[in-house]
Amino acid sequence: MKAGIVGLPNVGKSTLFNCLSNAKAQSANFPFCTIEPNVGVVNVPDPRLEKLESLVNPERVVPATVEIVDIAGLVRGASKGEGLGNQFLGNIRETDAIIHVLRCFDNDNIVHVDGSVDPIRDKETIDIELQLKDLETVEKKLEKVKRASRTGNKEAQAEEAILNQLKTHLEEGKSVRALEFEEDVDAEFVKPLQLITDKRVLYVCNVDESAAASGNAYVDKVKAEVANEKAEVIVLAVGMEADINELDDYEERQMFLADMGLDEPGAAVLIRAAYKLLNQQTYFTAGEKEVRAWTVNIGATAPQAAGVIHTDFEKGFIRAEVISFDDYAELGSEAKARETGKLRVEGKAYIVKDGDVMHFLFNV
């Protein structure tokens, strides 16, 4: 599972990527600086993991990770191949969610491809290009389905109706994620199309240092614009985050953040938001050898969670021993949880909860 960072050229995508991944993607003051997508595997900041480490004192600690992709900047006309359009659209199609960076700061020294700062216009530019590409995909599929539909094929007729609904929606300048389908319809007809505007999206308002804690008028406009999209908006001073990232001393970082009115780096907030955006959650295993955060989809069953460790665990699943993180943290150990009845035995139907501390019994 991976999230792609997208936006117009020169809005701070590569600088943000560097902050998140500590990779050094090239960032410069001209369009198309990023041509090939950069990929970074980023640790998910989680204070619960630190707490378990302090209680168990293991030999090693392994955090959960999320994959972030920095994709080339898109310009008007990309759906027709302008700029790096075809490459951009191919790269973004391969991601599972979108982190859309919007420039929400004024700086005459940093050029804007359209000559002025307007995050709503910038958002519309990206949206239109993605919608046009999705419309092209839907129309091609519709041509094929219509032929089968004319023969009286009931399934083809059902698919044609869905495709026409998608086509009308996209022609109205709306993204597919705003449409709601029955789960079986979505799985059978919509998801296989891999439509770009069907992906979950997180908007990152890139502000200057003075607006890091409270935002600004540009941010207010973005929040109002996306209010009906069911999308999260995060405010981040990407340039400041880059400065914080250069500080090796923990105390210096904390002082810097305090001066800005922040409790933690915005990058940490963004990473957790991206993790959630990908519909992922964490469960833990805790032992003397290793304390580890494991990633599962929200709604995963206990056998599916076991399968993340090894496929044999899922195939031979017998039961899971489960302690909620809060109970583990309060009681201080698995032994205490067992003594006080806070360790539960769960079967195959159990739905894993975020923060569960789990131990699996299986038979190969």
Side-chain angles (χ1 to χ4, degrees):
M1 299 289 284
K2 56 188 175 183
I5 301 176
V6 305
L8 293 178
N10 260 15
V11 297
K13 301 185 307 300
S14 294
T15 304
L16 175 61
F17 174 81
N18 289 338
C19 292
L20 297 178
S21 67
N22 287 323
K24 297 300 177 186
Q26 184 187 12
S27 58
N29 186 20
F30 58 90
F32 309 125
C33 179
T34 303
I35 297 176
E36 294 297 329
N38 298 293
V39 182
V41 178
V42 183
N43 291 341
V44 179
D46 195 332
R48 298 174 300 182
L49 195 63
E50 296 170 14
K51 179 65 176 178
L52 289 172
E53 180 183 10
S54 70
L55 293 173
V56 179
N57 193 27
E59 292 178 15
R60 70 172 186 157
V61 177
V62 183
T65 60
V66 61
E67 195 167 308
I68 304 290
V69 186
D70 175 28
I71 297 171
L74 176 148
V75 294
R76 191 174 287 106
S79 59
K80 303 301 180 186
E82 292 293 328
L84 297 168
N86 292 329
Q87 186 170 341
F88 171 98
L89 294 163
N91 291 334
I92 194 173
R93 198 182 296 279
E94 294 171 6
T95 65
D96 303 287
I98 297 170
I99 299 172
H100 188 161
V101 182
L102 295 167
R103 177 171 169 176
C104 294
F105 66 90
D106 294 304
N107 187 330
D108 293 338
N109 294 321
I110 300 178
V111 297
H112 190 292
V113 289
D114 287 328
S116 63
V117 177
D118 184 344
I120 305 306
R121 178 202 59 211
D122 294 353
K123 175 186 177 302
E124 288 175 352
T125 297
I126 298 281
D127 285 349
I128 288 168
E129 297 305 324
L130 300 187
Q131 289 159 6
L132 287 172
K133 198 64 181 177
D134 279 351
L135 183 59
E136 181 184 309
T137 300
V138 169
E139 287 176 338
K140 284 181 180 177
K141 182 69 173 178
L142 193 55
E143 285 178 19
K144 296 178 182 178
V145 171
K146 277 181 177 178
R147 290 194 288 270
S149 179
R150 292 191 195 103
T151 66
N153 184 307
K154 297 295 183 184
E155 185 175 333
Q157 289 172 348
E159 185 172 9
E160 183 182 6
I162 297 299
L163 289 169
N164 278 321
Q165 189 177 347
L166 288 168
K167 182 174 181 289
T168 299
H169 188 77
L170 288 163
E171 287 173 338
E172 291 172 352
K174 299 174 183 176
S175 295
V176 174
R177 72 180 71 90
L179 276 174
E180 292 187 7
F181 294 99
E182 294 293 331
E183 192 172 326
D184 58 336
V185 171
D186 191 48
E188 186 174 0
F189 299 128
V190 182
K191 290 301 180 190
L193 294 171
Q194 292 185 299
L195 299 174
I196 300 171
T197 67
D198 194 29
K199 299 178 188 293
R200 297 182 182 91
V201 64
L202 168 70
Y203 293 101
V204 177
C205 294
N206 183 11
V207 300
D208 57 25
E209 194 173 298
S210 64
S214 57
N216 57 26
Y218 290 132
V219 174
D220 293 340
K221 288 180 181 179
V222 171
K223 288 181 176 178
E225 178 71 17
V226 306
N228 296 324
E229 286 193 29
K230 302 175 186 174
E232 188 174 352
V233 177
I234 287 180
V235 178
L236 205 64
V238 174
M240 186 188 77
E241 293 289 328
D243 291 339
I244 293 173
N245 210 40
E246 294 298 321
L247 297 174
D248 295 324
D249 185 78
Y250 175 79
E251 294 299 329
E252 282 187 52
R253 287 190 179 202
Q254 294 308 113
M255 287 174 62
F256 197 134
L257 290 168
D259 287 344
M260 294 298 105
L262 302 172
D263 297 324
E264 63 177 336
V269 177
L270 175 55
I271 293 166
R272 287 196 296 269
Y275 192 65
K276 184 178 178 183
L277 186 71
L278 291 165
N279 198 42
Q280 295 181 327
Q281 64 180 2
T282 299
Y283 77 86
F284 302 100
T285 52
E288 291 181 2
K289 290 282 187 185
E290 177 183 270
V291 166
R292 183 165 184 156
W294 299 89
T295 298
V296 291
N297 287 336
I298 294 171
T301 62
Q304 288 170 335
V308 172
I309 300 175
H310 197 287
T311 53
D312 286 348
F313 284 27
E314 182 173 3
K315 291 175 184 174
F317 179 89
I318 299 173
R319 64 181 181 272
E321 296 180 340
V322 184
I323 309 166
S324 74
F325 170 79
D326 289 342
D327 288 339
Y328 200 112
E330 181 183 344
L331 296 167
S333 70
E334 180 181 321
K336 283 286 186 183
R338 196 181 294 272
E339 287 173 19
T340 56
K342 294 296 185 180
L343 184 149
R344 311 185 311 276
V345 175
E346 302 287 359
K348 292 182 178 180
Y350 177 69
I351 303 298
V352 177
K353 296 178 178 60
D354 186 53
D356 279 348
V357 182
M358 306 184 76
H359 176 67
F360 300 104
L361 284 82
F362 67 99
N363 182 27
V364 177

